[in-house]
Amino acid sequence: MKNTAEIKKENQRRIWEILRDGKAHTKQEVSFITRLSQATCNTILNEFEAEGQVRGDKRRSGEVGRSSVAYRLNRDFESFLCIGFELIKGRRSFFWRVKTAIGEVLDQGRTYREMITCRDIENKVEELKERFPNLQAIAMGTPSVADKGWIRHCDLPEFDNVPVVEILEERFHLPVHLENDMHYKVYGYYLKECRREDTVTILNYPGNVLPGMGTVVEGKVIKGWNQFAGMVGFLPYDVTREEQLKSLVPGAYLPFLAKGAASVIPLLNPRVIVLTGDLVEEGHAEQVRRYCEKTIPEEYLPEFVWVPDIEEYYFAGMFERAIEEKWRKK
């Protein structure tokens, strides 16, 4: 049973979420949408205003009559950092985006390096924290297993066995959410493109690195016991890991994608499979479907969708997780 503090925090989150649309809402409107009492909404909105989280402006209805106060989130009160690194076509890079609570982009960028270490990430966070002292939480994406705050089996081996969450939280005193990049991507795609009850899977096949997969079932990302779920590069393809990596090139990778999709469908039964990655071309979706038809009844085949650029979904997933981390640590 929830205690009083937990109930209040839950109510605060519900009201705060209403205001994330960036529009102004009266206490009466917030009460109607959340189904909370006007007294509860009045108390919480007054507290938010006193803290500076929201701003209230008087709104008059018609020429005559009482005015009411409409509240909107204060864009200057807090910001959130999405940051990550990856290896694409043999090039290492790390990237970032700082956003307000209502999703406005305050800063973004990408830096390419021959070698990237955790210290590079730390230095970038330090720079951004100096520019945006109102940072509330960090979401970090990584092409690896994100095992309870540690990076394992990373495409960038210099990050292997690095306790990145502990390092960043100790240095910057901010909550940090670390997750496999595919989990962020599929969560962002689900939030933007899917119905609440959907099951959706993303299969990502970049060149010369192990592929990844992410699945959301009714809003829940399938991560497994230590976030290993989705590592389709470890499926038994009857070749060595080295041979598999050499085959993940244009003209040779397609059998691996087809087998990955055919393995996913009977286990997770997604409504949609999204195919992405720099190896994947538009016509490959139909070829994968034909391969899956050989073993899977047609009525259980998902919709196959090709998405050439998954970046916006990636940031959408990270942004949402950063916000969740803020409320989890609140």
Side-chain angles (χ1 to χ4, degrees):
M1 188 173 180
K2 295 178 181 177
N3 59 37
T4 303
E6 290 172 330
I7 292 172
K8 181 177 181 180
K9 179 179 175 180
E10 185 178 283
N11 290 341
Q12 288 175 328
R13 175 75 186 268
R14 289 169 66 183
I15 291 172
W16 190 85
E17 287 290 341
I18 297 300
L19 301 177
R20 278 183 65 188
D21 63 5
K23 299 176 182 178
H25 297 274
T26 65
K27 295 171 183 177
Q28 291 78 12
E29 290 169 349
V30 171
S31 175
F32 177 79
I33 295 170
T34 61
R35 296 292 188 262
L36 297 173
S37 70
Q38 288 196 26
T40 296
C41 294
N42 181 66
T43 298
I44 292 174
L45 285 167
N46 286 341
E47 290 175 351
F48 281 173
E49 187 173 27
E51 294 169 358
Q53 286 202 63
V54 304
R55 289 175 173 164
D57 299 308
K58 286 188 177 181
R59 175 195 291 175
R60 184 174 295 279
S61 178
E63 295 291 332
V64 182
R66 297 176 59 184
S67 61
S68 59
V69 178
Y71 296 88
R72 67 173 74 239
L73 285 182
N74 176 7
R75 69 183 299 279
D76 298 322
F77 181 76
E78 58 189 348
S79 59
F80 301 86
L81 171 60
C82 306
I83 192 167
F85 57 87
E86 57 191 5
L87 178 65
I88 301 295
K89 295 182 178 180
R91 299 185 70 192
R92 286 168 162 81
S93 67
F94 63 90
F95 53 87
W96 65 92
R97 187 174 289 185
V98 180
K99 304 180 79 171
T100 68
I102 62 174
E104 297 171 313
V105 177
L106 300 174
D107 189 78
Q108 61 183 333
R110 180 181 293 269
T111 297
Y112 290 91
R113 298 269 177 86
E114 289 188 8
M115 183 68 67
I116 298 171
T117 67
C118 189
R119 181 55 60 89
D120 294 315
I121 302 298
E122 290 179 69
N123 291 341
K124 175 51 68 173
V125 174
E126 182 176 35
E127 173 196 323
L128 292 170
K129 195 169 186 294
E130 289 178 358
R131 292 175 55 201
F132 304 99
N134 61 357
L135 279 176
Q136 295 296 306
I138 300 170
M140 183 173 178
T142 168
S144 72
V145 179
D147 186 1
K148 301 175 179 64
W150 289 68
I151 295 176
R152 316 278 193 194
H153 302 285
C154 188
D155 289 350
L156 281 67
E158 56 266 34
F159 278 93
D160 273 342
N161 301 312
V162 174
V164 66
V165 170
E166 178 182 336
I167 290 170
L168 294 179
E169 288 190 340
E170 283 190 1
R171 180 168 175 182
F172 300 108
H173 308 290
L174 290 171
V176 177
H177 186 274
L178 175 73
E179 199 157 333
N180 170 267
D181 55 357
M182 292 309 304
H183 293 165
Y184 282 130
K185 291 171 183 177
V186 74
Y187 190 46
Y189 185 89
Y190 170 82
L191 292 173
K192 286 184 169 291
E193 306 293 348
C194 296
R195 304 180 301 237
R196 182 176 181 180
E197 68 273 15
D198 276 347
T199 296
V200 57
T201 292
I202 289 183
L203 286 165
N204 181 53
Y205 277 70
N208 296 117
V209 294
L210 291 180
M213 184 198 85
T215 296
V216 170
V217 180
E218 296 184 354
K220 178 72 173 179
V221 179
I222 304 302
K223 301 178 185 178
W225 177 56
N226 53 13
Q227 300 203 44
F228 187 70
M231 302 298 284
V232 290
F234 291 86
L235 286 172
Y237 294 110
D238 296 325
V239 296
T240 66
R241 192 67 37 74
E242 291 74 21
E243 290 171 326
Q244 180 187 352
L245 286 169
K246 290 178 181 178
S247 298
L248 292 174
V249 295
Y253 92 99
L254 199 53
F256 293 93
L257 172 57
K259 289 178 182 178
S263 299
V264 167
I265 295 169
L267 297 175
L268 296 170
N269 188 28
R271 186 185 71 81
V272 178
I273 285 185
V274 177
L275 305 178
T276 190
D278 59 85
L279 291 176
V280 185
E281 299 174 12
E282 185 173 10
H284 292 173
E286 181 57 31
Q287 294 182 56
V288 171
R289 178 184 175 85
R290 289 201 297 269
Y291 179 90
C292 294
E293 285 176 345
K294 296 177 183 179
T295 57
I296 300 167
E298 185 176 355
E299 62 266 31
Y300 300 116
L301 289 174
E303 176 186 358
F304 291 87
V305 178
W306 174 60
V307 177
D309 187 354
I310 209 78
E311 183 175 273
E312 287 305 312
Y313 298 119
Y314 192 1
F315 278 115
M318 282 196 284
F319 179 50
E320 200 64 29
R321 291 304 192 204
I323 286 173
E324 291 171 9
E325 196 67 16
K326 166 211 165 172
W327 284 99
R328 190 175 70 86
K329 296 291 181 69
K330 186 176 173 65

